[in-house]
């Protein structure tokens, strides 16, 4: 609760059966700007849509985050992955 952040995604790693959820801290809550808080909230909505299986809403939410942060590499990666119908929402690391 002390940190404003966003979920990077579920990451499947070698040696683990279940993927791990990875988060990116954006700011300490007490120091977070309104823009950081809005961005994190919009990102949470997009990830929740993805978890519900609503890829269209997830894509729209990530695109909105892209308007808030045009140079965001993670958002661009997510949009690229969501364009592939076979992508199941898990990033996989094949080696250590």
């Amino acid at each position: 609760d002390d940190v404003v952040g966003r979920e990077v995604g579920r990451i499947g790693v070698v040696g683990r059966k279940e993927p791990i959820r990875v988060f990116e801290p954006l700011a300490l809550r007490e120091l977070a700007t309104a823009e950081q808080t809005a961005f994190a909230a919009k990102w949470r909505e997009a990830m929740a849509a993805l978890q519900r299986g609503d890829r269209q809403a997830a894509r729209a939410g990530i695109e909105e985050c892209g308007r808030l942060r045009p140079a965001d590499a993670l958002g661009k990666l997510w949009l690229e992955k969501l364009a592939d119908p076979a992508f199941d929402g898990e990033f996989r690391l094949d080696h250590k």
Side-chain angles (χ1 to χ4, degrees), residues 16-84:
R16 294 189 67 110
K17 291 181 182 179
E18 297 295 320
I20 57 173
R21 290 177 64 199
V22 176
F23 293 84
E24 173 190 18
L26 300 173
L28 292 174
R29 186 162 306 282
E30 64 188 34
L31 302 175
T33 65
E35 291 81 12
Q36 288 170 318
T37 302
F39 177 82
K42 180 53 75 177
W43 190 268
R44 263 191 316 279
E45 291 173 15
M47 293 296 107
L50 186 63
Q51 289 174 350
R52 289 191 311 271
D54 189 346
R55 291 169 74 100
Q56 184 176 0
R59 176 176 267 296
I62 294 169
E63 287 172 346
E64 177 65 24
C65 287
R67 287 188 280 282
L68 296 171
R69 286 183 149 185
D72 182 42
L74 181 59
K76 290 175 184 176
L77 176 62
W78 266 105
L79 291 175
E80 178 184 305
K81 292 291 192 178
L82 286 172
D84 178 1

